[in-house]
Structure formats: C-alpha cells, structure tokens
Amino acid sequence: MIRRMVTNPIPQFPAGFLWGVSTSAHQIEGAAGEREPSVWDAFTAEPGRVKDGSTAAVACDSYHRYREDVALLAGLGVDAYRFSISWPRVNSPGGLDYYDRLVDELCGAGVRPVPTLFHWDLPASLDWLERDTASRFAEYVSVVAERLGDRVTKWITLNEPAEHTLLGHALGAHAPGRRLMFGALPVAHHQLLAHGLAVRALRAAGAADIGIANSHGPTWPASRSPEDVDAAEFYDVLLNRLFSDPLLLGHYPEGIGALLPGDVEADLKVIAEPVDWYGINYYAPVKVGAPQGTEIEFGGLTLPAGLPFSVREIEGHPVTDFGWPVVPEALTELLTGFRERYGDRLPPIVITENGCSYEGVDDQERIAYLDGHIRALHRAVEAGVDVRGYFVWSLLDNFEWAEGYAQRFGLVHVDFEDGALARTPKVSYAWLRDALRARR
Ligand code: IFM
C-alpha cells in the first residue's frame, strides 16, 4: 500500500497540453438491449468467462446517465473526454443519435470530445480473422465522421489492438475467447489495416488530428543471460514493436512477416499512413525471462506453459489491487526509448490511458500513483519528448472485462450493488480537480 504526502500541484506542461479522462463504451454504457450484440455479449454469456460471473448489460448505465457523467467531467475541470463509440450501437436504429447527444452535451460543458472508434466491442457478426472486417470498419468510420465531424476535432481509430489480438484471439482470456496462439497474428494485421483505412476515411470526411491508442510498457530482461535477453526481446516484439513498427516505420519487426496473412507489403503503405499523434496507454513495465515450462499467473491472467518466455515478478515496488507494479520511472524510460527508436518518424505523443485499480473512496494510493506518473511524464518532456496530453483511466469504476466489477479504476466510485448506480467522487477526483485548477 502506498501512502505518502502529495502536496505540490502538478508541474507545468507546455501550453495547450490536454488533460483528460478515458472510458470505453462496453465498459460503461450498459443499455445492451438497445443495440445489436457484440463479441463481448456472446463471451460474457458463457459461464466461467468473467471471474465474478457479471456482464456489461447495465454496467454504469452511462447510456441513460450521460448528462450526470458529463457534469462530473465538467466538475473535474478536464479539457477533454476520451470515450469510445460502440460499432454495434451505430449499426442499430437510433444508435448514432446517442453519440450526437453525448457530443452536444460535452461541447455545451466545454469538454472536448475525443472518440475512439473501436475499443474491442466488435459486432458479433464480424471477425478480425477476416480481412474484409478492415474495409467494413472504414465504412462505419465514414458514417460516424459524417455525422459527428462538425463537432469532433480529435479522433482515435483503435484502442490497444495488441490486447485485443493476444488476450482475445491468442490466449482466450477476452472476447471472442479464441486460443489460437501465434495463429492469432492475422488479427493484428487486419486491425492495423483497419486503422490505416480509417485514417484515410476520416481525412476524406474532412477530419484532422487523428491518432491511435496502443498499449506499451518497457520490457526488462530478468537477467543478462542470453536466454533471458532473447526471451525479453521476443516479448517486446510481440507486445510492443509488432504494433508500433508498422505504424511508425512501415515494416514489421524481423521474423514476424512469415506469420502474417498473404503479401503484406502493399498493406504496410496503408498501415503507415501518417498519424497526427501517437497515443500510448501505459500501466506498468514487465520483467521477462527464459521459458520455465509452467503456467504463470500474470496480472489476472493464466499464461499457458509452452510460451517462448516467462513473466517474472518485479520486486521492490508497491502493487495495485490488480497486482500490477507501480513504477512511474518506467514511463519516462518508455517515452525516451520511443524517441530514440523512432526519431523523426515519431509524431507528438499523447498518453491516452494511465491509471490503477484500488478499492475505496479515500484512495490515497491512486493519488500517489497519478502524482508519480504525471511527474515521470514531465521528466520525459524535460528530456525533450514531445508529449501533448495525458488521460487518466478512468472516469468511473466500470466493467473491467474478464475481471467483471472487481477491479476499480475510477476517479468516481460507482455503487454496483445499488440499482441507482450512485456515483461518488473519490478523494482522487478532488485531488485532480484541485491540481488542474492550480495549474490555471
Ligand atoms: O480497462 C482497460 C481498458 O479497457 C484498456 N486498457 C487497460 C484498462 C485497464 O485494464
């Protein structure tokens, strides 16, 4: 448990720096009966898939309570709100009207809407193993951009294609629950292609300021032994560079091409369509060593034996309720490492997610986490990394995927036991509000 005095306001970031909070549709909206089903509805209906047996059918019911949630954003004093648009809802009668109302409410409250166009809730009729899903995504994106583009001035194509590929299609821990192991890699390629096609579709609709939100974290070898170093390198390729290299360098990391579907060269030109900024979701570093031949418990997951690496415990740091180590300095390391690797090819960075799961409303641990990470971010800026924004995950406690409602990431507590789903701002909400005020 971290308890330390945090007294100073957050440091000064460059003018125009964007402060925001993030959520996603499936995790907060509820109103599942008012849209077509997604792969997550099918997955959570299967017994044993979600640890507490829950579903997101109601979640925080933000679909009906969005005015209350926008009022919380306004009270917090953030510049921007990153939410996601549910593709299944847009496919359903009246679905796009909801986002129209939400965007109007945000603009009226002086909060800039920053929608993510895909945050894992694929329509149940579609499949990322099919290349055609990338084209279908671009068509859906055009429809959304036509409707909201007069008020939305900043866009995110995809959220964390790495997790959707690996957890959803390789390990079966997320929807759609496939265990294809390396057979899941076409899912990565098709999502990246979908991203590139979406960038083109957005620009064709007159949109600008387009980015993607990828999860990244430093990978630390467990030792200097060649076996550990090689295993860590492999993990880094799979979790980090498989996504950032094609986007920023226009090629896949060495050795990956053979696992991808067909001739990917032409697709890489689409995938590397320049973005206006690059979003990074950062939570924690990972320590990786040579395989140990046993199953491993890691961040709520059971990794099968037989992987070409093993994940080791990072000692000497506090951990969140999820068991994730709290290592703010690894954020500085990640960002300076990105600048070194990608140099002039790296557009400005936005931290599109950063946060932690802790129980309770008097969440001093969350304050310490955010304070430490904002300062680590500032050190990266001082070291010359061009960072333009920071979004806390999350505004509300919400449906944390296979964990159900057990892991609470919100600045605002939601009482899921109570039919009224009462929202109670936590102590961290007041801390962030005051820090943002002091900055002004
Ligand atoms: O809740 C998730 C979010 O949907 C994607 N990034 C990580 C968060 C915490 O696990």
Side-chain angles (χ1 to χ4, degrees), residues 24 27 119-120 159-160 281 283 322 324 353 393 398 400-401 409:
S24 90
Q27 293 177 273
H119 196 125
W120 303 351
N159 178 71
E160 297 182 3
N281 296 354
Y283 289 88
F322 223 145
W324 299 354
E353 285 181 26
W393 183 271
N398 58 48
E400 177 55 28
W401 309 111
F409 281 86

